[in-house]
Amino acid sequence: MRFTIGRKLSFTFALVFALNLLAAAFSYYQLLELATAQKDVTDKRYPVINTVFDLRVASQRTASVIRGYLLFAGDDTKETETKRDWEQSWGRLDKDISKVKEMTRFMGQENVDRVRLLDQRLTAFHQVQREIIENSDRHTPEGNRVAVSAIKGSALKLGADITNLGRD
């Protein structure tokens, strides 16, 4: 059988058409993969990042309220208001850490371990802040010095833990 110019052209166009179909099928498959990855980010990762941001804000809020509590030492009205604000901030922190714990089913083991560590550090941070309030309630300069030194290290460590959780 002889290949005439017409047959050669037809074969070449058929080959080019088949390659285009193959490229289109591959592109379609890649788009499906991309859509799956986007859905994964939207459904799983984005809520975690938002909740971690809320955790960061709430933890900073509790530290700010404690500083206000120390500033208003001796003013019973202001102390009561700041203590109520502190308790509300901790309520928000507890709610946010509960959300993050629920989301651990979407996380790798490394982040699950980080959430566990973060929960332990939050508990310790809460205890440190309670001690700060107790020491400042004594209204002594020594109590305030102890309170200020206690809050510095625990707040920095907690902030780093929260940031690391949101980073991965």
Side-chain angles (χ1 to χ4, degrees), residues 65-161:
V65 170
I66 289 293
R67 285 190 294 274
Y69 192 82
L70 292 173
L71 287 172
F72 297 127
D75 184 346
D76 292 337
T77 305
K78 294 285 188 179
E79 280 183 353
T80 303
E81 289 174 16
T82 53
K83 198 168 191 176
R84 185 175 42 242
D85 193 10
W86 177 76
E87 289 167 352
Q88 289 172 349
S89 296
W90 271 103
R92 183 176 169 193
L93 261 174
D94 290 339
K95 186 178 87 175
D96 289 341
I97 195 67
S98 294
K99 273 192 217 174
V100 171
K101 284 179 183 176
E102 289 172 15
M103 294 176 195
T104 56
R105 65 180 182 268
F106 303 127
M107 299 177 183
Q109 187 58 41
E110 184 179 352
N111 276 338
V112 171
D113 294 340
R114 285 180 178 165
V115 169
R116 231 178 263 124
L117 177 66
L118 180 63
D119 190 33
Q120 292 169 357
R121 292 248 170 97
L122 273 173
T123 303
F125 189 58
H126 198 184
Q127 183 58 37
V128 166
Q129 288 188 348
R130 278 195 189 118
E131 291 171 12
I132 289 169
I133 289 173
E134 290 170 9
N135 282 325
S136 87
D137 283 346
R138 295 183 194 135
H139 302 297
T140 63
E142 180 58 31
N144 286 345
R145 275 195 292 279
V146 169
V148 168
S149 66
I151 200 167
K152 283 182 183 176
S154 59
L156 289 173
K157 206 180 289 185
L158 181 66
D161 288 340

